[in-house]
Amino acid sequence: MQISESPVAQAGRQYFSEQDAETWAGLLRPGFQLRALESEGSVAAYLGGDPLLPEEVEWPVWEGHGPLHFVGAVDCGQVPSQELDIPLPASGQLLFFYFDGLGDSSVTATDPDSVSNGTRVIYIPAEAEIAPRTAPEGAAPYPRLLLSGDVIATAPDNENAALIAAFGDPDDPSGYCDYPTTDPNGSGFWEALTAYRRDHQPHHQIGGYALPVQGAVEREGAQVVYPGEDEAAIDARKQLTSQLVLLAQIDSDSRSGMNWDDAGRLYWMITREDLAAGRFDKATFTWQCE
């Protein structure tokens, strides 16, 4: 798919100045949207059910809380990584786990310990011998949902660093930027963008821009890695925020029995450098809901 000819790029041409529309089209990034498998097509990923794991890989556990729930797996060989702009592995599986708990057992961006222990990304090479693994007690599986996918255009939200750098003030403490619409009431572009996103629900995705529910997910992911309010931590978070890219986004989906609190989404992020090096233990995480 030509990103520059996508509906979201065309909306920029309709509602932005010519120069801003060109800048906007250059900001758009390809993402691989995961959708329910139809009668024909290859399986690119699956949610729920029993994961396929090598015998020597232990089921991830949050000590003192219990086993993590298996969320889903992506077959990297079925993702057109050459069409994406992140260095995804060319083969093998990526498996995502999350501790689906409440109260003191919930995973929150303000508690780095809960993120590092309550979420996990596991990479399994293509040559590994794998078999279905039954979930341990306390991590009952979600219903299995097979997924295929398509490359789509993804757009930055109003708090994304790329949008702010292009159209806003990077030093503005609000960390927010309006879309540069020429529409008198500003609703035309927003309606076009909302309709485009609605057409791609639920928002299961690999790569591209995250679609946040409550603000820039990269900031929350950076907060996990560099907590604290001292100057060094603030500067480190700012730098990391600009480096993080979306690895996987898993939406609430009734078909898989997944409802992250109130129609929420799970987000795994990583730097391009760590992704290229296969350092999936460096991935960070947040989740948001209405």
Side-chain angles (χ1 to χ4, degrees), residues 41 99 113 155 188 240 274:
F99 192 87
D113 177 73
L240 182 58
D274 285 335

Side-chain angles (χ1 to χ4, degrees), residues 38-101:
E38 298 176 354
S39 57
E40 297 183 1
S42 57
V43 176
Y46 59 94
L47 300 180
D50 294 332
L52 299 172
L53 288 170
E55 183 178 354
E56 66 273 15
V57 173
E58 296 183 357
W59 192 282
V61 172
W62 183 1
E63 292 298 332
H65 295 262
L68 276 59
H69 288 73
F70 170 64
V71 175
V74 176
D75 182 348
C76 298
Q78 294 297 325
V79 177
S81 55
Q82 72 280 1
E83 297 183 43
L84 302 182
D85 62 0
I86 59 173
L88 199 70
S91 62
Q93 290 187 81
L94 283 172
L95 288 83
F96 299 89
F97 292 82
Y98 166 73
F99 192 87
D100 191 6

Side-chain angles (χ1 to χ4, degrees), residues 59-190:
W59 192 282
V61 172
W62 183 1
E63 292 298 332
H65 295 262
L68 276 59
H69 288 73
F70 170 64
V71 175
V74 176
D75 182 348
C76 298
Q78 294 297 325
V79 177
S81 55
Q82 72 280 1
E83 297 183 43
L84 302 182
D85 62 0
I86 59 173
L88 199 70
S91 62
Q93 290 187 81
L94 283 172
L95 288 83
F96 299 89
F97 292 82
Y98 166 73
F99 192 87
D100 191 6
L102 300 173
D104 292 338
S105 290
S106 63
V107 175
T108 62
T110 55
D111 180 11
D113 177 73
S114 73
V115 172
S116 61
N117 293 290
T119 68
R120 210 70 51 87
V121 180
I122 297 176
Y123 175 68
I124 306 298
E127 63 273 15
E129 294 185 10
I130 55 178
R133 178 79 60 83
T134 301
E137 184 178 356
Y142 302 103
R144 172 64 58 87
L145 178 64
L146 300 180
L147 302 170
S148 182
D150 296 297
V151 176
I152 65 169
T154 67
D157 69 281
N158 298 98
E159 296 186 10
N160 187 274
L163 187 80
I164 294 173
F167 299 117
D169 178 4
D171 296 323
D172 184 347
S174 71
Y176 184 92
C177 178
D178 287 318
Y179 294 113
T181 178
T182 57
D183 185 15
N185 61 19
S187 63
F189 174 76
W190 183 249

Side-chain angles (χ1 to χ4, degrees), residues 159-220:
E159 296 186 10
N160 187 274
L163 187 80
I164 294 173
F167 299 117
D169 178 4
D171 296 323
D172 184 347
S174 71
Y176 184 92
C177 178
D178 287 318
Y179 294 113
T181 178
T182 57
D183 185 15
N185 61 19
S187 63
F189 174 76
W190 183 249
E191 289 172 358
L193 182 59
T194 301
Y196 176 77
R197 287 170 170 167
R198 188 185 306 119
D199 289 342
H200 293 89
Q201 292 177 320
H203 303 287
H204 306 311
Q205 186 179 304
I206 303 299
Y209 289 108
L211 180 57
V213 180
Q214 294 284 355
V217 300
E218 295 84 3
R219 293 180 195 168
E220 295 180 8

